[in-house]
PDB file of all heavy atoms in Angstrom:
ATOM      1  N   PRO Z   1      -4.801   6.452   2.072  1.00  0.00           N
ATOM      2  CA  PRO Z   1      -4.731   5.008   2.343  1.00  0.00           C
ATOM      3  C   PRO Z   1      -6.085   4.340   2.185  1.00  0.00           C
ATOM      4  O   PRO Z   1      -7.140   4.979   2.294  1.00  0.00           O
ATOM      5  CB  PRO Z   1      -4.238   4.943   3.798  1.00  0.00           C
ATOM      6  CG  PRO Z   1      -3.628   6.272   4.071  1.00  0.00           C
ATOM      7  CD  PRO Z   1      -4.378   7.258   3.232  1.00  0.00           C
ATOM      8  N   LEU Z   2      -6.057   3.044   1.917  1.00  0.00           N
ATOM      9  CA  LEU Z   2      -7.279   2.266   1.779  1.00  0.00           C
ATOM     10  C   LEU Z   2      -8.048   2.293   3.100  1.00  0.00           C
ATOM     11  O   LEU Z   2      -7.494   1.999   4.162  1.00  0.00           O
ATOM     12  CB  LEU Z   2      -6.936   0.826   1.393  1.00  0.00           C
ATOM     13  CG  LEU Z   2      -8.114  -0.127   1.181  1.00  0.00           C
ATOM     14  CD1 LEU Z   2      -8.922   0.283  -0.043  1.00  0.00           C
ATOM     15  CD2 LEU Z   2      -7.616  -1.564   1.029  1.00  0.00           C
ATOM     16  N   GLU Z   3      -9.322   2.659   3.027  1.00  0.00           N
ATOM     17  CA  GLU Z   3     -10.148   2.713   4.226  1.00  0.00           C
ATOM     18  C   GLU Z   3     -10.620   1.307   4.571  1.00  0.00           C
ATOM     19  O   GLU Z   3     -11.247   0.633   3.759  1.00  0.00           O
ATOM     20  CB  GLU Z   3     -11.340   3.640   3.999  1.00  0.00           C
ATOM     21  CG  GLU Z   3     -10.947   5.096   3.790  1.00  0.00           C
ATOM     22  CD  GLU Z   3     -12.157   5.995   3.663  1.00  0.00           C
ATOM     23  OE1 GLU Z   3     -13.286   5.480   3.802  1.00  0.00           O
ATOM     24  OE2 GLU Z   3     -11.978   7.202   3.434  1.00  0.00           O
ATOM     25  N   LEU Z   4     -10.324   0.888   5.798  1.00  0.00           N
ATOM     26  CA  LEU Z   4     -10.664  -0.454   6.263  1.00  0.00           C
ATOM     27  C   LEU Z   4     -11.504  -0.361   7.529  1.00  0.00           C
ATOM     28  O   LEU Z   4     -11.318   0.555   8.340  1.00  0.00           O
ATOM     29  CB  LEU Z   4      -9.395  -1.268   6.546  1.00  0.00           C
ATOM     30  CG  LEU Z   4      -8.459  -1.500   5.357  1.00  0.00           C
ATOM     31  CD1 LEU Z   4      -7.166  -2.145   5.824  1.00  0.00           C
ATOM     32  CD2 LEU Z   4      -9.130  -2.369   4.304  1.00  0.00           C
ATOM     33  N   PRO Z   5     -12.421  -1.298   7.719  1.00  0.00           N
ATOM     34  CA  PRO Z   5     -13.214  -1.289   8.959  1.00  0.00           C
ATOM     35  C   PRO Z   5     -12.341  -1.642  10.150  1.00  0.00           C
ATOM     36  O   PRO Z   5     -11.314  -2.323  10.024  1.00  0.00           O
ATOM     37  CB  PRO Z   5     -14.282  -2.351   8.696  1.00  0.00           C
ATOM     38  CG  PRO Z   5     -13.678  -3.256   7.662  1.00  0.00           C
ATOM     39  CD  PRO Z   5     -12.816  -2.379   6.808  1.00  0.00           C
ATOM     40  N   SER Z   6     -12.754  -1.196  11.301  1.00  0.00           N
ATOM     41  CA  SER Z   6     -11.974  -1.436  12.525  1.00  0.00           C
ATOM     42  C   SER Z   6     -12.493  -2.625  13.313  1.00  0.00           C
ATOM     43  O   SER Z   6     -12.230  -2.748  14.497  1.00  0.00           O
ATOM     44  CB  SER Z   6     -12.001  -0.177  13.403  1.00  0.00           C
ATOM     45  OG  SER Z   6     -13.342   0.178  13.710  1.00  0.00           O
ATOM     46  N   SER Z   7     -13.261  -3.510  12.667  1.00  0.00           N
ATOM     47  CA  SER Z   7     -13.817  -4.664  13.364  1.00  0.00           C
ATOM     48  C   SER Z   7     -12.722  -5.667  13.712  1.00  0.00           C
ATOM     49  O   SER Z   7     -11.675  -5.739  13.062  1.00  0.00           O
ATOM     50  CB  SER Z   7     -14.877  -5.338  12.496  1.00  0.00           C
ATOM     51  OG  SER Z   7     -14.320  -5.732  11.256  1.00  0.00           O
ATOM     52  N   GLU Z   8     -12.992  -6.464  14.739  1.00  0.00           N
ATOM     53  CA  GLU Z   8     -12.040  -7.472  15.193  1.00  0.00           C
ATOM     54  C   GLU Z   8     -12.172  -8.730  14.340  1.00  0.00           C
ATOM     55  O   GLU Z   8     -13.240  -9.350  14.292  1.00  0.00           O
ATOM     56  CB  GLU Z   8     -12.305  -7.808  16.664  1.00  0.00           C
ATOM     57  CG  GLU Z   8     -11.245  -8.674  17.302  1.00  0.00           C
ATOM     58  CD  GLU Z   8     -10.027  -7.879  17.747  1.00  0.00           C
ATOM     59  OE1 GLU Z   8     -10.029  -6.645  17.595  1.00  0.00           O
ATOM     60  OE2 GLU Z   8      -9.085  -8.497  18.243  1.00  0.00           O
ATOM     61  N   PRO Z   9     -11.118  -9.146  13.649  1.00  0.00           N
ATOM     62  CA  PRO Z   9     -11.228 -10.354  12.818  1.00  0.00           C
ATOM     63  C   PRO Z   9     -11.211 -11.617  13.666  1.00  0.00           C
ATOM     64  O   PRO Z   9     -10.727 -11.626  14.807  1.00  0.00           O
ATOM     65  CB  PRO Z   9      -9.986 -10.268  11.930  1.00  0.00           C
ATOM     66  CG  PRO Z   9      -9.004  -9.479  12.722  1.00  0.00           C
ATOM     67  CD  PRO Z   9      -9.794  -8.504  13.539  1.00  0.00           C
ATOM     68  N   ILE Z  10     -11.774 -12.678  13.093  1.00  0.00           N
ATOM     69  CA  ILE Z  10     -11.713 -13.968  13.764  1.00  0.00           C
ATOM     70  C   ILE Z  10     -10.394 -14.650  13.412  1.00  0.00           C
ATOM     71  O   ILE Z  10      -9.771 -14.347  12.393  1.00  0.00           O
ATOM     72  CB  ILE Z  10     -12.898 -14.865  13.362  1.00  0.00           C
ATOM     73  CG1 ILE Z  10     -12.823 -15.199  11.868  1.00  0.00           C
ATOM     74  CG2 ILE Z  10     -14.212 -14.213  13.697  1.00  0.00           C
ATOM     75  CD1 ILE Z  10     -13.853 -16.225  11.428  1.00  0.00           C
ATOM     76  N   VAL Z  11      -9.962 -15.565  14.250  1.00  0.00           N
ATOM     77  CA  VAL Z  11      -8.712 -16.302  14.048  1.00  0.00           C
ATOM     78  C   VAL Z  11      -9.053 -17.759  13.779  1.00  0.00           C
ATOM     79  O   VAL Z  11      -9.735 -18.409  14.581  1.00  0.00           O
ATOM     80  CB  VAL Z  11      -7.782 -16.180  15.263  1.00  0.00           C
ATOM     81  CG1 VAL Z  11      -6.494 -16.970  15.023  1.00  0.00           C
ATOM     82  CG2 VAL Z  11      -7.454 -14.722  15.539  1.00  0.00           C
ATOM     83  N   LEU Z  12      -8.617 -18.250  12.633  1.00  0.00           N
ATOM     84  CA  LEU Z  12      -8.873 -19.635  12.265  1.00  0.00           C
ATOM     85  C   LEU Z  12      -7.972 -20.570  13.049  1.00  0.00           C
ATOM     86  O   LEU Z  12      -6.969 -20.156  13.642  1.00  0.00           O
ATOM     87  CB  LEU Z  12      -8.646 -19.829  10.764  1.00  0.00           C
ATOM     88  CG  LEU Z  12      -9.482 -18.972   9.816  1.00  0.00           C
ATOM     89  CD1 LEU Z  12      -9.022 -19.175   8.386  1.00  0.00           C
ATOM     90  CD2 LEU Z  12     -10.959 -19.301   9.943  1.00  0.00           C
ATOM     91  N   ASP Z  13      -8.317 -21.842  13.014  1.00  0.00           N
ATOM     92  CA  ASP Z  13      -7.436 -22.862  13.573  1.00  0.00           C
ATOM     93  C   ASP Z  13      -7.398 -24.040  12.616  1.00  0.00           C
ATOM     94  O   ASP Z  13      -8.157 -24.114  11.650  1.00  0.00           O
ATOM     95  CB  ASP Z  13      -7.898 -23.300  14.973  1.00  0.00           C
ATOM     96  CG  ASP Z  13      -9.321 -23.833  14.965  1.00  0.00           C
ATOM     97  OD1 ASP Z  13      -9.892 -23.987  13.866  1.00  0.00           O
ATOM     98  OD2 ASP Z  13      -9.877 -24.082  16.042  1.00  0.00           O
ATOM     99  N   GLY Z  14      -6.497 -24.957  12.865  1.00  0.00           N
ATOM    100  CA  GLY Z  14      -6.390 -26.143  12.029  1.00  0.00           C
ATOM    101  C   GLY Z  14      -5.833 -25.827  10.645  1.00  0.00           C
ATOM    102  O   GLY Z  14      -5.011 -24.926  10.460  1.00  0.00           O
ATOM    103  N   ASP Z  15      -6.326 -26.580   9.643  1.00  0.00           N
ATOM    104  CA  ASP Z  15      -5.840 -26.416   8.269  1.00  0.00           C
ATOM    105  C   ASP Z  15      -6.151 -25.032   7.708  1.00  0.00           C
ATOM    106  O   ASP Z  15      -5.369 -24.484   6.922  1.00  0.00           O
ATOM    107  CB  ASP Z  15      -6.459 -27.491   7.369  1.00  0.00           C
ATOM    108  CG  ASP Z  15      -5.980 -28.889   7.738  1.00  0.00           C
ATOM    109  OD1 ASP Z  15      -4.909 -28.985   8.379  1.00  0.00           O
ATOM    110  OD2 ASP Z  15      -6.672 -29.864   7.391  1.00  0.00           O
ATOM    111  N   GLY Z  16      -7.302 -24.460   8.089  1.00  0.00           N
ATOM    112  CA  GLY Z  16      -7.655 -23.139   7.593  1.00  0.00           C
ATOM    113  C   GLY Z  16      -6.645 -22.089   7.999  1.00  0.00           C
ATOM    114  O   GLY Z  16      -6.260 -21.225   7.201  1.00  0.00           O
ATOM    115  N   ALA Z  17      -6.174 -22.143   9.245  1.00  0.00           N
ATOM    116  CA  ALA Z  17      -5.175 -21.181   9.719  1.00  0.00           C
ATOM    117  C   ALA Z  17      -3.858 -21.359   8.976  1.00  0.00           C
ATOM    118  O   ALA Z  17      -3.191 -20.380   8.611  1.00  0.00           O
ATOM    119  CB  ALA Z  17      -4.974 -21.344  11.222  1.00  0.00           C
ATOM    120  N   GLU Z  18      -3.458 -22.611   8.746  1.00  0.00           N
ATOM    121  CA  GLU Z  18      -2.201 -22.861   8.033  1.00  0.00           C
ATOM    122  C   GLU Z  18      -2.278 -22.359   6.590  1.00  0.00           C
ATOM    123  O   GLU Z  18      -1.322 -21.760   6.081  1.00  0.00           O
ATOM    124  CB  GLU Z  18      -1.891 -24.358   8.062  1.00  0.00           C
ATOM    125  CG  GLU Z  18      -1.567 -24.895   9.457  1.00  0.00           C
ATOM    126  CD  GLU Z  18      -1.260 -26.376   9.428  1.00  0.00           C
ATOM    127  OE1 GLU Z  18      -1.252 -26.958   8.317  1.00  0.00           O
ATOM    128  OE2 GLU Z  18      -1.021 -26.954  10.505  1.00  0.00           O
ATOM    129  N   GLN Z  19      -3.413 -22.588   5.928  1.00  0.00           N
ATOM    130  CA  GLN Z  19      -3.563 -22.109   4.549  1.00  0.00           C
ATOM    131  C   GLN Z  19      -3.539 -20.586   4.493  1.00  0.00           C
ATOM    132  O   GLN Z  19      -2.938 -19.991   3.586  1.00  0.00           O
ATOM    133  CB  GLN Z  19      -4.876 -22.628   3.952  1.00  0.00           C
ATOM    134  CG  GLN Z  19      -4.887 -24.115   3.641  1.00  0.00           C
ATOM    135  CD  GLN Z  19      -3.925 -24.469   2.512  1.00  0.00           C
ATOM    136  OE1 GLN Z  19      -3.463 -23.608   1.787  1.00  0.00           O
ATOM    137  NE2 GLN Z  19      -3.592 -25.743   2.395  1.00  0.00           N
ATOM    138  N   PHE Z  20      -4.182 -19.939   5.468  1.00  0.00           N
ATOM    139  CA  PHE Z  20      -4.207 -18.479   5.484  1.00  0.00           C
ATOM    140  C   PHE Z  20      -2.798 -17.922   5.664  1.00  0.00           C
ATOM    141  O   PHE Z  20      -2.368 -17.022   4.931  1.00  0.00           O
ATOM    142  CB  PHE Z  20      -5.126 -17.999   6.605  1.00  0.00           C
ATOM    143  CG  PHE Z  20      -5.512 -16.553   6.493  1.00  0.00           C
ATOM    144  CD1 PHE Z  20      -6.640 -16.167   5.807  1.00  0.00           C
ATOM    145  CD2 PHE Z  20      -4.726 -15.571   7.069  1.00  0.00           C
ATOM    146  CE1 PHE Z  20      -6.992 -14.832   5.695  1.00  0.00           C
ATOM    147  CE2 PHE Z  20      -5.058 -14.237   6.965  1.00  0.00           C
ATOM    148  CZ  PHE Z  20      -6.204 -13.860   6.279  1.00  0.00           C
ATOM    149  N   ASP Z  21      -2.058 -18.448   6.626  1.00  0.00           N
ATOM    150  CA  ASP Z  21      -0.693 -17.964   6.857  1.00  0.00           C
ATOM    151  C   ASP Z  21       0.212 -18.301   5.678  1.00  0.00           C
ATOM    152  O   ASP Z  21       1.115 -17.524   5.339  1.00  0.00           O
ATOM    153  CB  ASP Z  21      -0.142 -18.573   8.148  1.00  0.00           C
ATOM    154  CG  ASP Z  21      -0.811 -18.002   9.387  1.00  0.00           C
ATOM    155  OD1 ASP Z  21      -1.344 -16.882   9.304  1.00  0.00           O
ATOM    156  OD2 ASP Z  21      -0.804 -18.675  10.444  1.00  0.00           O
ATOM    157  N   ARG Z  22      -0.026 -19.443   5.034  1.00  0.00           N
ATOM    158  CA  ARG Z  22       0.779 -19.808   3.870  1.00  0.00           C
ATOM    159  C   ARG Z  22       0.552 -18.812   2.723  1.00  0.00           C
ATOM    160  O   ARG Z  22       1.502 -18.420   2.032  1.00  0.00           O
ATOM    161  CB  ARG Z  22       0.432 -21.226   3.425  1.00  0.00           C
ATOM    162  CG  ARG Z  22       1.387 -21.789   2.374  1.00  0.00           C
ATOM    163  CD  ARG Z  22       1.065 -23.232   2.025  1.00  0.00           C
ATOM    164  NE  ARG Z  22       1.250 -24.101   3.179  1.00  0.00           N
ATOM    165  CZ  ARG Z  22       0.264 -24.758   3.777  1.00  0.00           C
ATOM    166  NH1 ARG Z  22      -0.975 -24.650   3.324  1.00  0.00           N
ATOM    167  NH2 ARG Z  22       0.500 -25.522   4.819  1.00  0.00           N
ATOM    168  N   ALA Z  23      -0.695 -18.395   2.542  1.00  0.00           N
ATOM    169  CA  ALA Z  23      -0.988 -17.412   1.490  1.00  0.00           C
ATOM    170  C   ALA Z  23      -0.308 -16.084   1.779  1.00  0.00           C
ATOM    171  O   ALA Z  23       0.294 -15.464   0.882  1.00  0.00           O
ATOM    172  CB  ALA Z  23      -2.501 -17.232   1.365  1.00  0.00           C
ATOM    173  N   TYR Z  24      -0.355 -15.624   3.010  1.00  0.00           N
ATOM    174  CA  TYR Z  24       0.230 -14.324   3.330  1.00  0.00           C
ATOM    175  C   TYR Z  24       1.754 -14.390   3.375  1.00  0.00           C
ATOM    176  O   TYR Z  24       2.423 -13.389   3.076  1.00  0.00           O
ATOM    177  CB  TYR Z  24      -0.348 -13.804   4.644  1.00  0.00           C
ATOM    178  CG  TYR Z  24      -1.698 -13.148   4.450  1.00  0.00           C
ATOM    179  CD1 TYR Z  24      -2.816 -13.907   4.100  1.00  0.00           C
ATOM    180  CD2 TYR Z  24      -1.864 -11.789   4.567  1.00  0.00           C
ATOM    181  CE1 TYR Z  24      -4.043 -13.324   3.895  1.00  0.00           C
ATOM    182  CE2 TYR Z  24      -3.093 -11.182   4.369  1.00  0.00           C
ATOM    183  CZ  TYR Z  24      -4.189 -11.958   4.029  1.00  0.00           C
ATOM    184  OH  TYR Z  24      -5.407 -11.367   3.811  1.00  0.00           O
ATOM    185  N   ASP Z  25       2.320 -15.544   3.705  1.00  0.00           N
ATOM    186  CA  ASP Z  25       3.783 -15.682   3.613  1.00  0.00           C
ATOM    187  C   ASP Z  25       4.243 -15.555   2.160  1.00  0.00           C
ATOM    188  O   ASP Z  25       5.276 -14.929   1.878  1.00  0.00           O
ATOM    189  CB  ASP Z  25       4.213 -17.035   4.190  1.00  0.00           C
ATOM    190  CG  ASP Z  25       4.111 -17.073   5.712  1.00  0.00           C
ATOM    191  OD1 ASP Z  25       4.042 -15.980   6.323  1.00  0.00           O
ATOM    192  OD2 ASP Z  25       4.078 -18.181   6.281  1.00  0.00           O
ATOM    193  N   ALA Z  26       3.477 -16.157   1.229  1.00  0.00           N
ATOM    194  CA  ALA Z  26       3.818 -16.010  -0.188  1.00  0.00           C
ATOM    195  C   ALA Z  26       3.667 -14.558  -0.629  1.00  0.00           C
ATOM    196  O   ALA Z  26       4.469 -14.046  -1.413  1.00  0.00           O
ATOM    197  CB  ALA Z  26       2.927 -16.928  -1.030  1.00  0.00           C
ATOM    198  N   TYR Z  27       2.656 -13.871  -0.103  1.00  0.00           N
ATOM    199  CA  TYR Z  27       2.481 -12.450  -0.429  1.00  0.00           C
ATOM    200  C   TYR Z  27       3.675 -11.642   0.075  1.00  0.00           C
ATOM    201  O   TYR Z  27       4.191 -10.760  -0.641  1.00  0.00           O
ATOM    202  CB  TYR Z  27       1.184 -11.944   0.191  1.00  0.00           C
ATOM    203  CG  TYR Z  27       1.034 -10.442   0.156  1.00  0.00           C
ATOM    204  CD1 TYR Z  27       0.501  -9.791  -0.940  1.00  0.00           C
ATOM    205  CD2 TYR Z  27       1.458  -9.662   1.235  1.00  0.00           C
ATOM    206  CE1 TYR Z  27       0.382  -8.412  -0.971  1.00  0.00           C
ATOM    207  CE2 TYR Z  27       1.343  -8.284   1.213  1.00  0.00           C
ATOM    208  CZ  TYR Z  27       0.802  -7.667   0.113  1.00  0.00           C
ATOM    209  OH  TYR Z  27       0.698  -6.299   0.083  1.00  0.00           O
ATOM    210  N   PHE Z  28       4.130 -11.913   1.296  1.00  0.00           N
ATOM    211  CA  PHE Z  28       5.269 -11.171   1.848  1.00  0.00           C
ATOM    212  C   PHE Z  28       6.527 -11.408   1.019  1.00  0.00           C
ATOM    213  O   PHE Z  28       7.335 -10.490   0.820  1.00  0.00           O
ATOM    214  CB  PHE Z  28       5.514 -11.581   3.295  1.00  0.00           C
ATOM    215  CG  PHE Z  28       4.382 -11.243   4.227  1.00  0.00           C
ATOM    216  CD1 PHE Z  28       4.055 -12.079   5.294  1.00  0.00           C
ATOM    217  CD2 PHE Z  28       3.633 -10.090   4.034  1.00  0.00           C
ATOM    218  CE1 PHE Z  28       3.017 -11.770   6.138  1.00  0.00           C
ATOM    219  CE2 PHE Z  28       2.582  -9.777   4.886  1.00  0.00           C
ATOM    220  CZ  PHE Z  28       2.271 -10.626   5.940  1.00  0.00           C
ATOM    221  N   ALA Z  29       6.711 -12.630   0.517  1.00  0.00           N
ATOM    222  CA  ALA Z  29       7.873 -12.921  -0.329  1.00  0.00           C
ATOM    223  C   ALA Z  29       7.808 -12.128  -1.635  1.00  0.00           C
ATOM    224  O   ALA Z  29       8.826 -11.617  -2.117  1.00  0.00           O
ATOM    225  CB  ALA Z  29       7.939 -14.424  -0.614  1.00  0.00           C
ATOM    226  N   ILE Z  30       6.613 -11.997  -2.214  1.00  0.00           N
ATOM    227  CA  ILE Z  30       6.458 -11.203  -3.437  1.00  0.00           C
ATOM    228  C   ILE Z  30       6.741  -9.738  -3.143  1.00  0.00           C
ATOM    229  O   ILE Z  30       7.399  -9.041  -3.928  1.00  0.00           O
ATOM    230  CB  ILE Z  30       5.043 -11.400  -3.999  1.00  0.00           C
ATOM    231  CG1 ILE Z  30       4.846 -12.852  -4.465  1.00  0.00           C
ATOM    232  CG2 ILE Z  30       4.767 -10.434  -5.150  1.00  0.00           C
ATOM    233  CD1 ILE Z  30       3.426 -13.187  -4.868  1.00  0.00           C
ATOM    234  N   GLN Z  31       6.276  -9.249  -1.999  1.00  0.00           N
ATOM    235  CA  GLN Z  31       6.509  -7.848  -1.620  1.00  0.00           C
ATOM    236  C   GLN Z  31       7.999  -7.557  -1.467  1.00  0.00           C
ATOM    237  O   GLN Z  31       8.499  -6.530  -1.921  1.00  0.00           O
ATOM    238  CB  GLN Z  31       5.748  -7.545  -0.327  1.00  0.00           C
ATOM    239  CG  GLN Z  31       5.895  -6.118   0.163  1.00  0.00           C
ATOM    240  CD  GLN Z  31       6.964  -5.986   1.235  1.00  0.00           C
ATOM    241  OE1 GLN Z  31       7.230  -6.917   1.991  1.00  0.00           O
ATOM    242  NE2 GLN Z  31       7.602  -4.831   1.282  1.00  0.00           N
ATOM    243  N   LYS Z  32       8.727  -8.460  -0.874  1.00  0.00           N
ATOM    244  CA  LYS Z  32      10.172  -8.268  -0.706  1.00  0.00           C
ATOM    245  C   LYS Z  32      10.893  -8.282  -2.056  1.00  0.00           C
ATOM    246  O   LYS Z  32      11.834  -7.517  -2.269  1.00  0.00           O
ATOM    247  CB  LYS Z  32      10.737  -9.348   0.215  1.00  0.00           C
ATOM    248  CG  LYS Z  32      10.315  -9.204   1.675  1.00  0.00           C
ATOM    249  CD  LYS Z  32      10.914 -10.308   2.526  1.00  0.00           C
ATOM    250  CE  LYS Z  32      10.499 -10.179   3.984  1.00  0.00           C
ATOM    251  NZ  LYS Z  32      11.057 -11.277   4.813  1.00  0.00           N
ATOM    252  N   SER Z  33      10.459  -9.150  -2.946  1.00  0.00           N
ATOM    253  CA  SER Z  33      11.098  -9.208  -4.270  1.00  0.00           C
ATOM    254  C   SER Z  33      10.902  -7.895  -5.024  1.00  0.00           C
ATOM    255  O   SER Z  33      11.838  -7.363  -5.630  1.00  0.00           O
ATOM    256  CB  SER Z  33      10.518 -10.373  -5.082  1.00  0.00           C
ATOM    257  OG  SER Z  33      10.785 -11.612  -4.453  1.00  0.00           O
ATOM    258  N   LEU Z  34       9.705  -7.343  -4.993  1.00  0.00           N
ATOM    259  CA  LEU Z  34       9.447  -6.081  -5.681  1.00  0.00           C
ATOM    260  C   LEU Z  34      10.232  -4.944  -5.044  1.00  0.00           C
ATOM    261  O   LEU Z  34      10.728  -4.055  -5.742  1.00  0.00           O
ATOM    262  CB  LEU Z  34       7.952  -5.772  -5.662  1.00  0.00           C
ATOM    263  CG  LEU Z  34       7.051  -6.751  -6.435  1.00  0.00           C
ATOM    264  CD1 LEU Z  34       5.586  -6.381  -6.263  1.00  0.00           C
ATOM    265  CD2 LEU Z  34       7.414  -6.768  -7.913  1.00  0.00           C
ATOM    266  N   ALA Z  35      10.346  -4.943  -3.726  1.00  0.00           N
ATOM    267  CA  ALA Z  35      11.126  -3.901  -3.056  1.00  0.00           C
ATOM    268  C   ALA Z  35      12.599  -3.991  -3.423  1.00  0.00           C
ATOM    269  O   ALA Z  35      13.315  -2.985  -3.419  1.00  0.00           O
ATOM    270  CB  ALA Z  35      10.945  -4.002  -1.541  1.00  0.00           C
ATOM    271  N   ALA Z  36      13.066  -5.198  -3.760  1.00  0.00           N
ATOM    272  CA  ALA Z  36      14.462  -5.399  -4.153  1.00  0.00           C
ATOM    273  C   ALA Z  36      14.653  -5.267  -5.663  1.00  0.00           C
ATOM    274  O   ALA Z  36      15.706  -5.640  -6.187  1.00  0.00           O
ATOM    275  CB  ALA Z  36      14.938  -6.774  -3.690  1.00  0.00           C
ATOM    276  N   ASP Z  37      13.648  -4.734  -6.353  1.00  0.00           N
ATOM    277  CA  ASP Z  37      13.703  -4.547  -7.810  1.00  0.00           C
ATOM    278  C   ASP Z  37      13.893  -5.873  -8.544  1.00  0.00           C
ATOM    279  O   ASP Z  37      14.559  -5.945  -9.575  1.00  0.00           O
ATOM    280  CB  ASP Z  37      14.817  -3.572  -8.204  1.00  0.00           C
ATOM    281  CG  ASP Z  37      14.555  -2.169  -7.697  1.00  0.00           C
ATOM    282  OD1 ASP Z  37      13.364  -1.791  -7.621  1.00  0.00           O
ATOM    283  OD2 ASP Z  37      15.516  -1.460  -7.370  1.00  0.00           O
ATOM    284  N   GLN Z  38      13.269  -6.925  -8.029  1.00  0.00           N
ATOM    285  CA  GLN Z  38      13.342  -8.244  -8.650  1.00  0.00           C
ATOM    286  C   GLN Z  38      11.920  -8.735  -8.925  1.00  0.00           C
ATOM    287  O   GLN Z  38      11.010  -8.533  -8.110  1.00  0.00           O
ATOM    288  CB  GLN Z  38      14.055  -9.245  -7.745  1.00  0.00           C
ATOM    289  CG  GLN Z  38      15.502  -8.882  -7.435  1.00  0.00           C
ATOM    290  CD  GLN Z  38      16.133  -9.862  -6.462  1.00  0.00           C
ATOM    291  OE1 GLN Z  38      15.470 -10.755  -5.945  1.00  0.00           O
ATOM    292  NE2 GLN Z  38      17.421  -9.674  -6.195  1.00  0.00           N
ATOM    293  N   THR Z  39      11.732  -9.370 -10.072  1.00  0.00           N
ATOM    294  CA  THR Z  39      10.418  -9.950 -10.351  1.00  0.00           C
ATOM    295  C   THR Z  39      10.209 -11.168  -9.457  1.00  0.00           C
ATOM    296  O   THR Z  39      11.132 -11.958  -9.243  1.00  0.00           O
ATOM    297  CB  THR Z  39      10.316 -10.373 -11.825  1.00  0.00           C
ATOM    298  OG1 THR Z  39      11.376 -11.285 -12.132  1.00  0.00           O
ATOM    299  CG2 THR Z  39      10.411  -9.158 -12.728  1.00  0.00           C
ATOM    300  N   PRO Z  40       9.008 -11.339  -8.907  1.00  0.00           N
ATOM    301  CA  PRO Z  40       8.749 -12.486  -8.023  1.00  0.00           C
ATOM    302  C   PRO Z  40       8.972 -13.806  -8.753  1.00  0.00           C
ATOM    303  O   PRO Z  40       8.721 -13.931  -9.952  1.00  0.00           O
ATOM    304  CB  PRO Z  40       7.285 -12.300  -7.627  1.00  0.00           C
ATOM    305  CG  PRO Z  40       7.003 -10.856  -7.850  1.00  0.00           C
ATOM    306  CD  PRO Z  40       7.852 -10.443  -9.008  1.00  0.00           C
ATOM    307  N   SER Z  41       9.427 -14.781  -8.015  1.00  0.00           N
ATOM    308  CA  SER Z  41       9.683 -16.092  -8.608  1.00  0.00           C
ATOM    309  C   SER Z  41       8.369 -16.791  -8.931  1.00  0.00           C
ATOM    310  O   SER Z  41       7.363 -16.608  -8.235  1.00  0.00           O
ATOM    311  CB  SER Z  41      10.502 -16.957  -7.651  1.00  0.00           C
ATOM    312  OG  SER Z  41       9.760 -17.239  -6.472  1.00  0.00           O
ATOM    313  N   PRO Z  42       8.333 -17.611  -9.987  1.00  0.00           N
ATOM    314  CA  PRO Z  42       7.101 -18.339 -10.319  1.00  0.00           C
ATOM    315  C   PRO Z  42       6.622 -19.240  -9.188  1.00  0.00           C
ATOM    316  O   PRO Z  42       5.419 -19.445  -9.024  1.00  0.00           O
ATOM    317  CB  PRO Z  42       7.496 -19.147 -11.560  1.00  0.00           C
ATOM    318  CG  PRO Z  42       8.638 -18.390 -12.169  1.00  0.00           C
ATOM    319  CD  PRO Z  42       9.384 -17.802 -11.009  1.00  0.00           C
ATOM    320  N   SER Z  43       7.546 -19.764  -8.399  1.00  0.00           N
ATOM    321  CA  SER Z  43       7.142 -20.651  -7.303  1.00  0.00           C
ATOM    322  C   SER Z  43       6.333 -19.897  -6.259  1.00  0.00           C
ATOM    323  O   SER Z  43       5.335 -20.420  -5.739  1.00  0.00           O
ATOM    324  CB  SER Z  43       8.377 -21.286  -6.666  1.00  0.00           C
ATOM    325  OG  SER Z  43       9.232 -20.284  -6.123  1.00  0.00           O
ATOM    326  N   GLU Z  44       6.729 -18.654  -5.933  1.00  0.00           N
ATOM    327  CA  GLU Z  44       5.981 -17.878  -4.952  1.00  0.00           C
ATOM    328  C   GLU Z  44       4.611 -17.493  -5.497  1.00  0.00           C
ATOM    329  O   GLU Z  44       3.616 -17.507  -4.767  1.00  0.00           O
ATOM    330  CB  GLU Z  44       6.767 -16.625  -4.557  1.00  0.00           C
ATOM    331  CG  GLU Z  44       8.073 -16.904  -3.830  1.00  0.00           C
ATOM    332  CD  GLU Z  44       7.854 -17.619  -2.504  1.00  0.00           C
ATOM    333  OE1 GLU Z  44       6.739 -17.538  -1.968  1.00  0.00           O
ATOM    334  OE2 GLU Z  44       8.798 -18.264  -2.014  1.00  0.00           O
ATOM    335  N   LEU Z  45       4.552 -17.150  -6.778  1.00  0.00           N
ATOM    336  CA  LEU Z  45       3.261 -16.827  -7.378  1.00  0.00           C
ATOM    337  C   LEU Z  45       2.339 -18.042  -7.370  1.00  0.00           C
ATOM    338  O   LEU Z  45       1.139 -17.920  -7.094  1.00  0.00           O
ATOM    339  CB  LEU Z  45       3.464 -16.331  -8.807  1.00  0.00           C
ATOM    340  CG  LEU Z  45       4.221 -15.003  -8.977  1.00  0.00           C
ATOM    341  CD1 LEU Z  45       4.487 -14.738 -10.456  1.00  0.00           C
ATOM    342  CD2 LEU Z  45       3.436 -13.849  -8.378  1.00  0.00           C
TER     343      LEU Z  45
END
């Protein structure tokens, strides 16, 4: 597995937090599409 540091990340607030969660929600949608043997939709990309 990818070796990652065990440091505690900071938590954003405001617009930065929303943009971060929006990016990872799109990533999760792409992950589900690949697991279902489907190419990710252009909108999610």
Side-chain angles (χ1 to χ4, degrees):
L2 181 67
E3 295 184 3
L4 299 172
S6 57
S7 58
E8 189 81 2
I10 64 173
V11 180
L12 301 174
D13 58 7
D15 294 339
E18 293 180 3
Q19 288 293 345
F20 195 90
D21 289 337
R22 190 176 296 115
Y24 278 69
D25 287 342
Y27 169 86
F28 296 145
I30 294 172
Q31 181 263 331
K32 290 180 180 179
S33 298
L34 295 176
D37 294 327
Q38 298 176 355
T39 56
S41 65
S43 61
E44 295 298 339
L45 295 173

